[in-house]
Amino acid sequence: MPSFAVIGASRGIGLELVRQLSASPTNTVVVTVRNKEKSTYLNDLVRRSENNNVHVVEADVVDQHAMDHAAAEVTKITGGALDVLVHNAARTEGENTIKGFLDYETPEKLDEEFIASFKVNVLGVVHTVNAFLPLLRKGTAKKIIVIGSEGGDCSLVWRIRLANAAAYGTTKAAENMVATKYAAELESEDFTVASVSPGIVDVSKTAAESGFYVPSEELMPTVNKIMNGILAAFPKATTITPEESCRRLVSFIDSAGPADSGIFHPSAEYID
Ligand SMILES: NC(=O)c1ccc[n+]([C@@H]2O[C@H](COP(=O)([O-])OP(=O)(O)OC[C@H]3O[C@@H](n4cnc5c(N)ncnc54)[C@H](OP(=O)(O)O)[C@@H]3O)[C@@H](O)[C@H]2O)c1
């Protein structure tokens, strides 16, 4: 009975990942969300699920105590062990996500966005891994998968000349480092700790509001500029569906082993 915890999966890529993982009746899938009642897409998935193998627990990744409580809830569901932890949560809300360093109205707003992004995209992963590590140590697969982004890869960002998404990209870069640190820490215990990109994914169908991945009309020129920069550097780049993205992610999760640890795995479109 392989067990999975998908952290921050009320919508978007996380939601589809839960749908695909729970399609196998032998899997147990625990999902954390910030607000159960408002997680309407996930609630619908749980209602329709024929396998009765999706369990939803409330927790905000910025809060270590909430993540510890979530891990305690997972212990009750799985009997104390966890095979695979997928950290998917990220701060993607609002037009702030798309801004460069020079686009903030005030220095206070810039600081606010950077600190909020750091709490979710960096400390959030640390809180998650620290909370779930005792369960993972008792599991058989010992896999920690962090959903990363090309926006946090310095060499790719330079090739694209991507000045936008400064807070998002800076904190997603730090997120990769968090995964690398845990990979080094846990190598002797045969853990696999890797960050992987889902690709450029159209998550508009399950969006909560407009934002980085679901831009409003005013943001479209900036988004188009970013896409043109990506295409100039990587002509194969294209937007994919959550279904296609998660097919690739599930395959990566299945096959990933210790040899994949410690590095960020870009999406196929970004590999020359
Ligand atoms: N879509 C893309 O093209 C793309 C490209 C590269 C990388 N990624 C990465 O893929 C992952 C998923 O992105 P997405 O496109 O699916 O974004 P999304 O649709 O905006 O979903 C983000 C998820 O993170 C959750 N979340 C946000 N803050 C949280 C917190 N403090 N605690 C717990 N959960 C929190 C959200 O839950 P709420 O409903 O509670 O807000 C939501 O379920 C992210 O790590 C993102 O960086 C996406």
Side-chain angles (χ1 to χ4, degrees):
M1 284 275 286
S3 52
F4 298 81
V6 187
I7 307 303
S10 61
R11 52 194 162 91
I13 295 162
L15 176 76
E16 175 61 19
L17 201 52
V18 171
R19 195 187 66 75
Q20 293 191 17
L21 290 172
S22 63
S24 170
T26 55
N27 288 345
T28 299
V29 185
V30 185
V31 191
T32 74
V33 298
R34 281 193 286 188
N35 186 317
K36 245 186 194 183
E37 206 184 313
K38 289 188 182 162
S39 299
T40 49
Y41 298 110
L42 180 65
N43 294 339
D44 191 45
L45 186 154
V46 173
R47 240 190 329 271
R48 286 162 188 260
S49 158
E50 287 173 5
N51 295 327
N52 290 321
N53 56 354
V54 182
H55 308 265
V56 184
V57 174
E58 252 176 21
D60 189 321
V61 300
V62 302
D63 180 349
Q64 180 68 70
H65 299 296
M67 295 315 291
D68 291 343
H69 178 72
E73 290 298 304
V74 174
T75 295
K76 289 183 204 160
I77 296 162
T78 64
L82 178 68
D83 295 314
V84 181
L85 175 67
V86 181
H87 185 96
N88 173 74
R91 182 170 167 86
T92 61
E93 300 129 15
E95 62 178 287
N96 275 343
T97 315
I98 219 160
K99 285 180 178 162
F101 293 115
L102 308 179
D103 298 332
Y104 289 88
E105 295 83 359
T106 66
E108 289 75 22
K109 286 190 176 169
L110 181 149
D111 286 9
E112 229 170 77
E113 183 57 27
F114 268 73
I115 291 166
S117 298
F118 191 88
K119 282 186 170 172
V120 179
N121 299 349
V122 187
L123 279 176
V125 188
V126 178
H127 296 155
T128 296
V129 177
N130 283 354
F132 284 90
L133 193 53
L135 283 76
L136 288 160
R137 282 186 165 131
K138 291 183 195 147
T140 50
K142 295 187 171 55
K143 294 189 190 187
I144 299 173
I145 308 294
V146 176
I147 306 299
S149 168
E150 280 78 9
D153 180 311
C154 288
S155 58
L156 294 178
V157 166
W158 175 238
R159 265 181 74 170
I160 298 165
R161 301 296 195 272
L162 178 61
N164 291 87
Y168 176 79
T170 305
T171 53
K172 290 299 270 188
E175 182 186 62
N176 286 341
M177 181 58 81
V178 169
T180 302
K181 294 283 179 196
Y182 276 113
E185 180 79 44
L186 299 169
E187 185 182 22
S188 62
E189 297 180 52
D190 283 334
F191 265 82
T192 301
V193 189
S195 52
V196 58
S197 166
I200 306 174
V201 190
D202 179 359
V203 291
S204 56
K205 278 195 190 143
T206 58
E209 55 174 286
S210 74
F212 186 37
Y213 298 122
V214 190
S216 61
E217 281 302 309
E218 314 94 88
L219 287 183
M220 275 318 286
T222 315
V223 171
N224 288 336
K225 194 182 122 212
I226 294 172
M227 276 311 292
N228 289 338
I230 294 173
L231 282 170
F234 297 97
K236 282 189 293 176
T238 181
T239 304
I240 58 175
T241 62
E243 290 79 6
E244 169 63 15
S245 168
C246 291
R247 259 194 298 277
R248 297 181 191 178
L249 289 175
V250 169
S251 159
F252 179 82
I253 293 167
D254 278 350
S255 65
D260 299 301
S261 274
I263 56 162
F264 167 67
H265 298 260
S267 176
E269 294 83 9
Y270 293 92
I271 299 168
D272 292 317

